[in-house]
Amino acid sequence: MGGGYGFQFNMLDFSGIFGDHGRIYGYKGLKISIWMNIMSFQSFCEIYFEKRSNFGKGITDLESGLKTLFVGTLVDNKDDFIESFSRDSHYIRDTVSSGKILWQNSTDGHEIQVIRMGMGDAGYLYVRLVPLIVLLVEGFSYKMGSISIDLNDEGLELYLLIEKPVDQTANNQDRLLGFSSVYRYYHYPDGLSRLRLNLILVLPPYRCKGYGRRILRVLKNVAITEDAYDLTVKEPSEELQHMRTCIDVFQLLSFDPVQDAVDATISLLKQGKLSKNVRLPRFLPPLDLVEDVRKTFRINKSQFLQCWEVLVYVCLSNYVHDERMDNYFTIVSNRVRAKVLGTAARTTGKKVMNIPNSHNPRMSFVMFRVGGGINAFKDQNIREEHIKQLIDRRLEEIKLIAEKVLVPNPNQKIWHVEQDDEAGNIANP
């Protein structure tokens, strides 16, 4: 809540906050209401219950768990919390004043800016944002005491998406729309820094407006202009991975070496129907191109290979009912199958195990046979069904990304690459 642009959750996941997988014991009719001032990110909690008693599993210490989560930003008195809306109305403006503007754009009487700050200036703001990270970031794993922020860590940076009113009078507040956390660490042996994106969070009232994509583009620009080795993402959610791949594919489509390599791959796809056992390396990008892409766009190998399948599909979009598209589906299916099975495809049959001995460790082994057992056929059917679902899911992902970078040409029955929206000014970091 704050400034007329608050948001509300009816249910929150307290897993890890109160221990025992979020289970709370010893209360009847319990209701916990958490209020947060999203101008200063201070919080106030109200705890209501009909009855508290030890029913055999103890009584959960609610106040201790909440204070651990809100890391010193929990206001004890409701009147003090209400007063914070007027007292700290310019907290964001004052905090970001020392940051560096990396991107900005004017719209409807406001400036939208992406500002970079280190822990020395923004550490306490980051502490106040921790509860939002825990409660809003998909897949975030939290355990009591697991978040430790070193306010002197020069490697940790915050990238803040701020809405600033052009009229900077007392009644107009700067708003935090979203933010990301990035860590710089050393890449051996060349001494370059690597950028690891820990998270991107856009606050609920401002989602579906392209703000997350904007933050990610700024981070990619920072990696390129500051000569980082690459930009990686720590355990990306499906939504973040989708957005990341869309941006990368769009950039790579305009890179001539990529286009040449894709054309060469497509030429291989029209050499007759491929076997289901076709070897994948023939259809992967050459290693020198993988390195060129990393140096040019700071896209690492694993991400480039994710993009590669989309790039080939995009360039095949005019051959929907062609053997080249059929061969493409075979290749993607084989790749997914190989990833799932790995060595599991060889779990039956003859096995060799080295058995060291004091005479000659390298010359001692045991050979044995592993049988499938009576459930082998049933297990294989289940496995095949699982693999089929993963293949269908991957193909659907590829098609969705392709639709984001392609639009139909109204004058011809073909597709062309959609122009990206690069509104705004990029400042030199």
Side-chain angles (χ1 to χ4, degrees):
M1 58 183 291
Y5 55 99
F7 55 92
Q8 177 178 334
F9 293 93
N10 292 325
M11 294 291 291
L12 294 174
D13 181 8
F14 288 111
S15 298
I17 297 175
F18 296 118
D20 196 14
H21 305 289
R23 296 187 180 92
I24 298 175
Y25 299 109
Y27 298 88
K28 180 181 178 181
L30 176 65
K31 179 180 179 181
I32 302 175
S33 299
I34 303 174
W35 307 87
M36 175 174 282
N37 179 345
I38 59 174
M39 292 187 293
S40 66
F41 298 96
Q42 293 173 294
S43 304
F44 174 73
C45 295
E46 288 184 324
I47 301 174
Y48 169 82
F49 51 87
E50 298 175 5
K51 182 179 180 182
R52 178 169 61 184
S53 178
N54 187 336
F55 298 103
K57 294 187 177 181
I59 300 176
T60 302
D61 187 351
L62 299 177
E63 292 186 2
S64 177
L66 291 171
K67 287 181 178 179
T68 301
L69 171 62
F70 289 93
V71 200
T73 65
L74 201 60
V75 179
D76 294 328
N77 184 280
K78 188 174 184 178
D79 292 336
D80 291 341
F81 174 71
I82 294 174
E83 185 182 348
S84 70
F85 285 88
S86 57
R87 182 185 63 241
D88 301 321
S89 60
H90 295 300
Y91 175 76
I92 293 297
R93 180 182 302 177
D94 295 339
T95 300
V96 305
S97 61
S98 60
K100 183 171 183 58
I101 300 174
L102 301 181
W103 176 88
Q104 60 184 353
N105 186 37
S106 299
T107 175
D108 298 330
H110 293 85
E111 288 278 349
I112 307 296
Q113 299 176 342
V114 176
I115 299 175
R116 176 171 61 187
M117 303 191 72
M119 286 297 97
D121 296 317
Y124 289 105
L125 170 60
Y126 194 26
V127 169
R128 295 187 179 195
L129 295 176
V130 165
L132 288 176
I133 297 172
V134 174
L135 299 174
L136 299 180
V137 174
E138 178 185 350
F140 187 87
S141 178
Y142 174 79
K143 294 181 180 179
M144 290 183 63
S146 64
I147 297 180
S148 177
I149 301 174
D150 184 355
L151 301 183
N152 297 315
D153 191 341
E154 297 181 355
L156 186 59
E157 299 174 339
L158 279 184
Y159 292 76
L160 307 167
L161 184 69
I162 303 295
E163 182 185 76
K164 301 175 70 71
V166 174
D167 179 12
Q168 291 277 289
T169 58
N171 293 328
N172 294 324
Q173 295 89 21
D174 293 2
R175 299 180 182 181
L176 177 67
L177 309 182
F179 63 93
S180 68
S181 164
V182 175
Y183 196 84
R184 291 177 180 265
Y185 59 102
Y186 182 82
H187 180 261
Y188 180 84
D190 49 33
L192 299 177
S193 63
R194 302 188 76 176
L195 301 185
R196 183 185 67 197
L197 173 60
N198 296 325
L199 62 94
I200 288 182
L201 175 61
V202 176
L203 300 187
Y206 315 113
R207 291 178 178 174
C208 301
K209 297 182 180 181
Y211 290 143
R213 182 175 61 176
R214 172 53 54 200
I215 295 174
L216 188 54
R217 283 185 177 145
V218 169
L219 294 177
K220 289 180 65 65
N221 184 67
V222 168
I224 293 170
T225 58
E226 297 187 0
D227 197 26
Y229 181 81
D230 60 9
L231 172 64
T232 63
V233 182
K234 181 181 180 182
E235 300 177 1
S237 64
E238 290 186 7
E239 182 181 3
L240 176 55
Q241 180 61 31
H242 178 86
M243 179 174 64
R244 174 193 185 194
T245 304
C246 285
I247 294 174
D248 289 343
V249 166
F250 183 86
Q251 288 185 313
L252 292 168
L253 281 169
S254 62
F255 191 48
D256 289 341
V258 166
Q259 188 64 62
D260 294 340
V262 170
D263 290 342
T265 297
I266 291 177
S267 67
L268 294 174
L269 294 176
K270 61 180 181 181
Q271 296 179 1
K273 185 176 181 180
L274 296 179
S275 165
K276 291 185 178 181
N277 297 320
V278 65
R279 296 186 65 184
L280 297 178
R282 293 175 56 203
F283 303 95
L284 295 178
L287 293 179
D288 58 345
L289 178 60
V290 174
E291 182 63 12
D292 287 344
V293 166
R294 184 199 63 76
K295 290 180 178 179
T296 305
F297 300 104
R298 300 325 189 254
I299 299 173
N300 60 23
K301 180 179 179 180
S302 62
Q303 173 63 7
F304 181 39
L305 294 181
Q306 288 282 320
C307 297
W308 180 254
E309 291 182 340
V310 182
L311 291 164
V312 175
Y313 179 84
V314 167
C315 294
L316 280 172
S317 58
N318 296 325
Y319 306 101
V320 176
H321 302 294
D322 188 276
E323 69 175 5
R324 283 168 283 197
M325 187 62 81
D326 294 336
N327 287 336
Y328 170 81
F329 289 149
T330 297
I331 291 170
V332 174
S333 299
N334 288 352
R335 199 271 306 165
V336 174
R337 176 180 295 275
K339 181 179 179 181
V340 172
L341 295 181
T343 58
R346 298 181 295 275
T347 55
T348 61
K350 293 181 180 179
K351 295 293 180 182
V352 176
M353 178 181 296
N354 292 326
I355 305 295
N357 63 63
S358 58
H359 174 65
N360 191 338
R362 296 185 179 181
M363 297 299 292
S364 180
F365 63 90
V366 170
M367 179 179 290
F368 58 98
R369 178 178 294 276
V370 178
I374 60 175
N375 293 322
F377 183 76
K378 178 181 178 182
D379 293 342
Q380 183 177 358
N381 286 343
I382 295 174
R383 184 182 66 188
E384 288 299 317
E385 180 62 27
H386 176 65
I387 292 174
K388 183 180 182 300
Q389 292 175 0
L390 292 177
I391 291 172
D392 292 343
R393 183 176 179 181
R394 176 55 182 163
L395 291 173
E396 185 64 26
E397 289 174 353
I398 291 171
K399 293 175 182 178
L400 287 175
I401 296 171
E403 290 174 0
K404 295 288 181 66
V405 297
L406 289 175
V407 292
N409 188 325
N411 300 320
Q412 304 178 50
K413 294 182 179 180
I414 63 174
W415 295 75
H416 67 280
V417 178
E418 183 179 18
Q419 294 300 310
D420 201 5
D421 178 14
E422 286 292 351
N425 301 316
I426 295 286
N428 189 341

mmCIF file of all heavy atoms in Angstrom, residues 330-347:
data_model
loop_
_atom_site.group_PDB
_atom_site.id
_atom_site.type_symbol
_atom_site.label_atom_id
_atom_site.label_comp_id
_atom_site.label_asym_id
_atom_site.label_seq_id
_atom_site.Cartn_x
_atom_site.Cartn_y
_atom_site.Cartn_z
ATOM 1 N N THR A 330 12.395 -34.071 -36.093
ATOM 2 C CA THR A 330 13.136 -35.278 -35.718
ATOM 3 C C THR A 330 14.371 -34.924 -34.901
ATOM 4 O O THR A 330 14.680 -35.565 -33.889
ATOM 5 C CB THR A 330 13.551 -36.056 -36.977
ATOM 6 O OG1 THR A 330 12.376 -36.486 -37.669
ATOM 7 C CG2 THR A 330 14.396 -37.276 -36.611
ATOM 8 N N ILE A 331 15.089 -33.895 -35.321
ATOM 9 C CA ILE A 331 16.313 -33.486 -34.625
ATOM 10 C C ILE A 331 16.009 -32.995 -33.218
ATOM 11 O O ILE A 331 16.673 -33.367 -32.250
ATOM 12 C CB ILE A 331 17.044 -32.386 -35.433
ATOM 13 C CG1 ILE A 331 17.609 -32.977 -36.714
ATOM 14 C CG2 ILE A 331 18.160 -31.754 -34.609
ATOM 15 C CD1 ILE A 331 18.136 -31.948 -37.668
ATOM 16 N N VAL A 332 14.985 -32.145 -33.079
ATOM 17 C CA VAL A 332 14.617 -31.643 -31.748
ATOM 18 C C VAL A 332 14.166 -32.798 -30.863
ATOM 19 O O VAL A 332 14.537 -32.874 -29.686
ATOM 20 C CB VAL A 332 13.511 -30.576 -31.858
ATOM 21 C CG1 VAL A 332 13.024 -30.171 -30.465
ATOM 22 C CG2 VAL A 332 14.016 -29.352 -32.605
ATOM 23 N N SER A 333 13.403 -33.701 -31.414
ATOM 24 C CA SER A 333 12.938 -34.860 -30.637
ATOM 25 C C SER A 333 14.110 -35.700 -30.161
ATOM 26 O O SER A 333 14.154 -36.129 -28.994
ATOM 27 C CB SER A 333 11.992 -35.716 -31.486
ATOM 28 O OG SER A 333 10.848 -34.977 -31.880
ATOM 29 N N ASN A 334 15.076 -35.938 -31.043
ATOM 30 C CA ASN A 334 16.252 -36.725 -30.662
ATOM 31 C C ASN A 334 17.063 -36.027 -29.584
ATOM 32 O O ASN A 334 17.599 -36.679 -28.676
ATOM 33 C CB ASN A 334 17.132 -36.976 -31.886
ATOM 34 C CG ASN A 334 16.523 -37.982 -32.841
ATOM 35 O OD1 ASN A 334 15.515 -38.613 -32.531
ATOM 36 N ND2 ASN A 334 17.109 -38.124 -34.018
ATOM 37 N N ARG A 335 17.164 -34.715 -29.684
ATOM 38 C CA ARG A 335 17.941 -33.958 -28.683
ATOM 39 C C ARG A 335 17.278 -34.034 -27.315
ATOM 40 O O ARG A 335 17.944 -34.259 -26.289
ATOM 41 C CB ARG A 335 18.079 -32.504 -29.149
ATOM 42 C CG ARG A 335 19.201 -31.725 -28.492
ATOM 43 C CD ARG A 335 18.772 -31.036 -27.222
ATOM 44 N NE ARG A 335 17.607 -30.203 -27.424
ATOM 45 C CZ ARG A 335 16.869 -29.723 -26.432
ATOM 46 N NH1 ARG A 335 17.157 -30.048 -25.166
ATOM 47 N NH2 ARG A 335 15.811 -28.973 -26.671
ATOM 48 N N VAL A 336 15.961 -33.858 -27.273
ATOM 49 C CA VAL A 336 15.243 -33.954 -25.999
ATOM 50 C C VAL A 336 15.349 -35.365 -25.442
ATOM 51 O O VAL A 336 15.596 -35.559 -24.243
ATOM 52 C CB VAL A 336 13.768 -33.556 -26.180
ATOM 53 C CG1 VAL A 336 12.986 -33.799 -24.897
ATOM 54 C CG2 VAL A 336 13.651 -32.089 -26.590
ATOM 55 N N ARG A 337 15.192 -36.348 -26.298
ATOM 56 C CA ARG A 337 15.274 -37.738 -25.856
ATOM 57 C C ARG A 337 16.656 -38.040 -25.275
ATOM 58 O O ARG A 337 16.783 -38.665 -24.214
ATOM 59 C CB ARG A 337 14.976 -38.676 -27.016
ATOM 60 C CG ARG A 337 15.129 -40.158 -26.701
ATOM 61 C CD ARG A 337 14.801 -40.995 -27.915
ATOM 62 N NE ARG A 337 13.393 -40.832 -28.270
ATOM 63 C CZ ARG A 337 12.399 -41.522 -27.730
ATOM 64 N NH1 ARG A 337 12.659 -42.431 -26.799
ATOM 65 N NH2 ARG A 337 11.164 -41.323 -28.105
ATOM 66 N N ALA A 338 17.709 -37.586 -25.966
ATOM 67 C CA ALA A 338 19.070 -37.847 -25.497
ATOM 68 C C ALA A 338 19.321 -37.181 -24.153
ATOM 69 O O ALA A 338 19.996 -37.736 -23.286
ATOM 70 C CB ALA A 338 20.076 -37.353 -26.531
ATOM 71 N N LYS A 339 18.767 -35.980 -23.976
ATOM 72 C CA LYS A 339 18.957 -35.274 -22.713
ATOM 73 C C LYS A 339 18.263 -35.992 -21.565
ATOM 74 O O LYS A 339 18.804 -36.081 -20.452
ATOM 75 C CB LYS A 339 18.435 -33.839 -22.829
ATOM 76 C CG LYS A 339 18.615 -33.016 -21.572
ATOM 77 C CD LYS A 339 18.108 -31.600 -21.767
ATOM 78 C CE LYS A 339 18.280 -30.780 -20.488
ATOM 79 N NZ LYS A 339 17.757 -29.390 -20.660
ATOM 80 N N VAL A 340 17.076 -36.504 -21.820
ATOM 81 C CA VAL A 340 16.310 -37.179 -20.769
ATOM 82 C C VAL A 340 16.941 -38.520 -20.405
ATOM 83 O O VAL A 340 17.134 -38.842 -19.232
ATOM 84 C CB VAL A 340 14.854 -37.387 -21.209
ATOM 85 C CG1 VAL A 340 14.109 -38.262 -20.200
ATOM 86 C CG2 VAL A 340 14.156 -36.052 -21.364
ATOM 87 N N LEU A 341 17.274 -39.269 -21.432
ATOM 88 C CA LEU A 341 17.762 -40.621 -21.181
ATOM 89 C C LEU A 341 19.184 -40.627 -20.649
ATOM 90 O O LEU A 341 19.491 -41.286 -19.666
ATOM 91 C CB LEU A 341 17.680 -41.452 -22.472
ATOM 92 C CG LEU A 341 16.270 -41.707 -23.007
ATOM 93 C CD1 LEU A 341 16.344 -42.557 -24.268
ATOM 94 C CD2 LEU A 341 15.415 -42.400 -21.964
ATOM 95 N N GLY A 342 20.074 -39.894 -21.313
ATOM 96 C CA GLY A 342 21.467 -39.899 -20.899
ATOM 97 C C GLY A 342 21.979 -41.329 -20.855
ATOM 98 O O GLY A 342 21.807 -42.115 -21.781
ATOM 99 N N THR A 343 22.576 -41.677 -19.781
ATOM 100 C CA THR A 343 23.063 -43.056 -19.618
ATOM 101 C C THR A 343 21.951 -44.018 -19.245
ATOM 102 O O THR A 343 22.146 -45.229 -19.258
ATOM 103 C CB THR A 343 24.136 -43.105 -18.523
ATOM 104 O OG1 THR A 343 23.577 -42.596 -17.303
ATOM 105 C CG2 THR A 343 25.343 -42.264 -18.915
ATOM 106 N N ALA A 344 20.759 -43.471 -18.926
ATOM 107 C CA ALA A 344 19.651 -44.352 -18.531
ATOM 108 C C ALA A 344 19.219 -45.252 -19.675
ATOM 109 O O ALA A 344 18.618 -46.301 -19.458
ATOM 110 C CB ALA A 344 18.461 -43.528 -18.054
ATOM 111 N N ALA A 345 19.525 -44.845 -20.928
ATOM 112 C CA ALA A 345 19.149 -45.674 -22.073
ATOM 113 C C ALA A 345 19.926 -46.977 -22.094
ATOM 114 O O ALA A 345 19.593 -47.894 -22.830
ATOM 115 C CB ALA A 345 19.384 -44.904 -23.368
ATOM 116 N N ARG A 346 20.981 -47.048 -21.279
ATOM 117 C CA ARG A 346 21.806 -48.254 -21.260
ATOM 118 C C ARG A 346 21.764 -48.918 -19.883
ATOM 119 O O ARG A 346 22.749 -49.423 -19.388
ATOM 120 C CB ARG A 346 23.248 -47.891 -21.628
ATOM 121 C CG ARG A 346 23.366 -47.310 -23.027
ATOM 122 C CD ARG A 346 24.805 -46.984 -23.366
ATOM 123 N NE ARG A 346 25.333 -45.932 -22.528
ATOM 124 C CZ ARG A 346 25.184 -44.639 -22.775
ATOM 125 N NH1 ARG A 346 24.496 -44.260 -23.838
ATOM 126 N NH2 ARG A 346 25.703 -43.721 -21.986
ATOM 127 N N THR A 347 20.604 -48.867 -19.241
ATOM 128 C CA THR A 347 20.486 -49.432 -17.895
ATOM 129 C C THR A 347 20.324 -50.941 -17.909
ATOM 130 O O THR A 347 20.376 -51.575 -16.865
ATOM 131 C CB THR A 347 19.280 -48.811 -17.157
ATOM 132 O OG1 THR A 347 18.117 -48.988 -17.951
ATOM 133 C CG2 THR A 347 19.520 -47.339 -16.896
#
